[in-house]
């Protein structure tokens, strides 16, 4: 399951960059995409250690994914209105 999560992380990051280029998005959107990629990388690093994985799964998937949504909203609104 973690390999699938890592694969989805890479696909998400690449598709967000492709969309940014396709729509000629401003710098704010690119900063948001970079922030999202960093957050998703931190999520994967939280689960890298098998000994501490069980206690971190909820934090990694629920809390971190909530922050991804918030950052994406802020990046999209900033790109549109700033």
């Amino acid at each position: 399951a973690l390999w699938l999560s890592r694969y989805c992380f890479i696909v998400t990051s690449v598709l967000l960059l492709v969309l940014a280029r396709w729509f000629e998005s401003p710098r704010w959107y690119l900063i948001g995409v970079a922030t999202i990629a960093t957050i998703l990388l931190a999520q994967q690093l939280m689960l890298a250690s098998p000994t501490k994985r069980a206690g971190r799964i909820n934090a990694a998937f629920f809390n971190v994914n909530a922050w991804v949504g918030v950052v994406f909203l802020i990046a999209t609104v900033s790109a549109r209105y700033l």
Side-chain angles (χ1 to χ4, degrees):
L2 291 176
W3 287 106
L4 178 63
S5 174
R6 289 180 182 137
Y7 173 75
C8 289
F9 155 64
I10 293 169
V11 170
T12 299
S13 299
V14 169
L15 287 177
L16 287 174
L17 286 174
V18 167
L19 285 174
R21 291 293 179 190
W22 189 15
F23 290 115
E24 299 175 359
S25 298
R27 183 178 331 144
W28 293 110
Y29 185 79
L30 294 174
I31 291 170
V33 169
T35 305
I36 289 170
T38 304
I39 292 171
L40 290 173
L41 178 63
Q43 178 185 43
Q44 295 301 317
L45 292 175
M46 285 174 69
L47 299 174
S49 172
T51 58
K52 298 179 182 178
R53 186 177 298 151
R56 294 182 179 177
I57 288 179
N58 286 340
F61 286 105
F62 296 114
N63 296 339
V64 173
N65 287 339
W67 278 106
V68 167
V70 170
V71 170
F72 187 68
L73 174 68
I74 291 170
T76 304
V77 169
S78 298
R80 175 72 174 107
Y81 294 109
L82 293 181

